[in-house]
């Protein structure tokens, strides 16, 4: 075994038409479109349609897709409410993983064709914001708010959290974060979803498994760790000494570096723009001052650039969310990408079954 391929580094395991990272230019393409352009010109629902169907929707297709998504937003019946109540003290990622699994079991249909997989995917896309917002409110001793089918994906979620629709610019910023997190190639959670889908298991199982992979701080959980780090630093004036000490002690610093980019994560400029605008709106500059110092010192000391999680932490924190809610937002967004890969895997399936190199003892005889 080539030791450089540990963790499947550099190993191509399949083909995909869904997204592509171009390391040389630090670009991320969704179905050929730069994500930096999609963020500026499209709504999240249009990007989901693009990932699933291969093309951006026409006006009529967009309206129909929105209509179908809104129809699938679940009503918080007594069974779901009971489950939510029992999970209100759990970590939000544990709660959303359990609720998605439950929702898959409750509406179970063996999805063995593309049409049915898309319907199931839409069901989970619509349910995730309802579950995340309800858990958020219950843990804060507030009553859940039912979905409003007259609102967009992001408007509806924010209203279910705060009992009001924030100003338009804040909704747009949140929507942009959904687009930036929607898809990113064969990352750990997406690969987990494809492995499960390759066994011809159902969409619910594949998404539940992906959520489990995303929870890890080396993957989706990094945006939480970024904000925890910033709160630990407290003041921008202490950021340089904190980072230098961490580097000296060879500690993992969240929010920097990426396995597939040679230079900067292509999503950083767009997410950073969102963070700076929110900082202006909220008149709270401490986090972006700290951000600038961390980026500058890491570049100077290690020539390592930030990844999307570094600016994402301040974005969600400035919007007023609890830190451990950040990764569930990632779930709400990445269901789009996971589902696209589950659908693609199903259309050209072969079970994913890699080999391993055995390095244990040679054949031995059991003592008599």
């Amino acid at each position: 075994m080539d030791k450089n391929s540990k963790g499947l580094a550099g190993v191509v395991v399949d083909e995909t038409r869904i997204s592509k990272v171009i390391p040389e230019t630090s670009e991320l393409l969704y179905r050929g479109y730069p994500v930096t352009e999609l963020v500026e010109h499209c709504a999240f629902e249009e990007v989901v349609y693009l990932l699933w169907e291969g093309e951006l929707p026409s006006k009529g297709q967009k309206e129909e897709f929105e209509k179908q998504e809104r129809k699938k937003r679940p009503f918080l019946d007594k069974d779901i409410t009971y489950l939510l109540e029992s999970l209100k003290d759990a970590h939000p990622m544990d709660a959303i993983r359990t609720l998605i699994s439950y929702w898959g079991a409750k509406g179970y249909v063996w999805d063995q064709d593309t049409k049915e997989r898309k319907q199931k995917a839409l069901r989970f896309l619509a349910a995730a914001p309802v579950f995340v917002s309800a858990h958020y409110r219950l843990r804060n001793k507030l009553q859940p708010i039912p979905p409003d089918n007259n609102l967009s994906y992001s408007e509806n979620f924010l209203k279910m959290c705060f009992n009001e629709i924030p100003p338009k610019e804040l909704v747009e910023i949140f929507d942009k974060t959904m687009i930036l997190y929607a898809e990113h190639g064969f990352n750990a959670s997406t690969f987990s979803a494809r492995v499960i889908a390759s066994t011809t298991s159902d969409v619910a199982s594949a998404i539940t498994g992906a959520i489990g992979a995303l929870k890890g701080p080396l993957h989706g959980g990094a945006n939480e760790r970024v904000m925890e780090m910033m709160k630990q630093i407290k003041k921008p004036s202490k950021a340089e000494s904190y980072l230098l000490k961490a580097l000296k002690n060879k500690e993992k610093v969240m929010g920097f570096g990426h396995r597939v980019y040679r230079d900067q994560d292509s999503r950083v400029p767009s997410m950073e723009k969102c963070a700076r605008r929110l900082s202006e709106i909220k008149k709270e500059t401490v986090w972006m001052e700290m951000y600038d110092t961390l980026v500058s010192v890491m570049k100077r000391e290690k020539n390592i650039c930030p990844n999307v999680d570094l600016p994402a932490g301040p974005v969600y924190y400035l919007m007023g969310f609890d830190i451990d809610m950040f990764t569930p937002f990632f779930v709400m967004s990445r269901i789009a990408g996971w589902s696209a890969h589950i659908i693609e895997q199903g259309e050209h399936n072969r079970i994913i079954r890699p080999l391993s190199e055995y390095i244990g003892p040679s054949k031995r005889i059991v003592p008599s």
Side-chain angles (χ1 to χ4, degrees):
M1 175 182 173
D2 182 355
K3 300 303 181 183
N4 292 325
S5 64
K6 189 79 170 176
L8 298 182
V11 176
V12 176
V13 297
D14 208 339
E15 299 176 332
T16 183
R17 296 178 179 274
I18 299 166
S19 70
K20 176 179 176 61
V21 171
I22 307 175
E24 296 80 7
T25 56
S26 293
E27 285 187 288
L28 170 61
L29 309 179
Y30 291 176
R31 300 284 189 178
Y33 292 102
V35 70
T36 49
E37 294 182 18
L38 293 170
V39 162
E40 296 300 324
H41 301 292
C42 297
F44 177 62
E45 292 91 333
E46 294 174 285
V47 173
V48 178
Y49 187 97
L50 168 68
L51 291 171
W52 293 1
E53 304 295 342
E55 299 292 342
L56 285 167
S58 65
K59 181 180 178 182
Q61 289 169 330
K62 177 178 180 286
E63 290 174 352
E64 180 60 25
F65 184 78
E66 290 173 339
K67 177 182 175 182
Q68 293 303 316
E69 183 270 318
R70 295 175 190 191
K71 282 172 60 177
K72 290 185 181 294
R73 294 172 183 174
F75 174 73
L76 294 173
D77 61 23
K78 61 181 179 62
D79 293 336
I80 298 174
T81 302
Y82 175 80
L83 186 55
L84 278 162
E85 284 280 1
S86 69
L87 293 167
K88 66 182 179 183
D89 295 325
H91 188 284
M93 280 298 284
D94 293 331
I96 186 61
R97 185 193 64 226
T98 303
L99 286 156
I100 288 292
S101 181
Y102 167 80
W103 195 232
K106 185 161 183 167
Y108 185 74
V109 176
W110 193 255
D111 39 65
Q112 289 299 292
D113 62 69
T114 295
K115 182 178 179 181
E116 184 58 43
R117 289 188 187 102
K118 287 179 180 177
Q119 286 300 305
K120 292 290 283 291
L122 194 59
R123 188 167 180 265
F124 294 117
L125 182 79
V130 179
F131 296 155
V132 172
S133 63
H135 183 260
Y136 169 75
R137 288 185 66 81
L138 282 169
R139 74 202 295 254
N140 284 288
K141 298 179 172 56
L142 299 168
Q143 284 300 306
I145 296 170
D148 186 336
N149 291 353
N150 295 310
L151 300 177
S152 72
Y153 194 83
S154 292
E155 285 175 327
N156 177 58
F157 174 68
L158 294 171
K159 183 186 177 184
M160 288 189 295
C161 287
F162 301 125
N163 201 22
E164 63 180 7
I165 305 171
K168 181 180 178 182
E169 191 169 10
L170 267 67
V171 174
E172 289 177 349
I173 286 172
F174 186 83
D175 204 64
K176 290 177 188 296
T177 72
M178 293 289 99
I179 293 171
L180 290 168
Y181 270 135
E183 161 60 12
H184 207 243
F186 275 38
N187 55 80
S189 58
T190 297
F191 187 60
S192 298
R194 288 194 76 130
V195 170
I196 294 169
S198 80
T199 70
T200 67
S201 188
D202 59 315
V203 173
S205 296
I207 291 178
T208 302
I211 293 172
L214 188 72
K215 182 184 176 185
L218 291 183
H219 190 14
N223 55 18
E224 295 181 27
R225 301 298 188 273
V226 161
M227 203 60 223
E228 288 168 355
M229 174 184 71
M230 287 185 165
K231 290 200 75 178
Q232 185 178 348
I233 295 170
K234 294 182 181 178
K235 298 178 181 179
S237 60
K238 295 183 178 181
E240 180 168 0
S241 60
Y242 176 94
L243 183 54
L244 290 174
K245 182 179 178 182
L247 294 175
K248 181 180 179 181
N249 294 336
K250 301 188 184 306
E251 297 172 7
K252 176 69 178 175
V253 181
M254 292 299 177
F256 288 94
H258 201 285
R259 280 275 290 270
V260 297
Y261 290 104
R262 292 183 184 175
D263 194 9
Q264 180 167 277
D265 182 332
S266 63
R267 301 163 294 177
V268 165
S270 298
M271 190 70 84
E272 183 183 311
K273 184 178 177 182
C274 291
R276 293 196 189 283
R277 182 61 187 133
L278 261 177
S279 183
E280 293 172 2
I281 293 170
K282 298 291 184 177
K283 296 181 171 56
E284 177 58 88
T285 62
V286 61
W287 308 117
M288 293 315 293
E289 289 175 16
M290 191 182 297
Y291 171 92
D292 288 335
T293 299
L294 291 169
V295 170
S296 174
V297 174
M298 184 63 89
K299 182 70 175 176
R300 182 190 75 207
E301 297 294 321
K302 294 292 184 179
N303 197 31
I304 298 175
C305 294
N307 59 46
V308 73
D309 293 313
L310 192 69
V315 167
Y316 293 137
Y317 191 73
L318 286 167
M319 292 194 81
F321 288 108
D322 302 334
I323 292 174
D324 60 2
M325 294 292 298
F326 297 178
T327 313
F329 302 159
F330 202 156
V331 171
M332 287 164 42
S333 169
R334 189 54 65 85
I335 283 176
W338 292 334
S339 299
H341 282 274
I342 292 165
I343 292 162
E344 184 177 67
Q345 183 69 38
E347 289 175 341
H348 308 282
N349 190 49
R350 184 177 185 185
I351 189 169
I352 298 172
R353 174 52 169 95
L355 300 175
S356 62
E357 181 179 347
Y358 178 69
I359 58 171
S362 300
K363 182 179 177 181
R364 296 188 282 183
I365 303 216
V366 177
S368 57

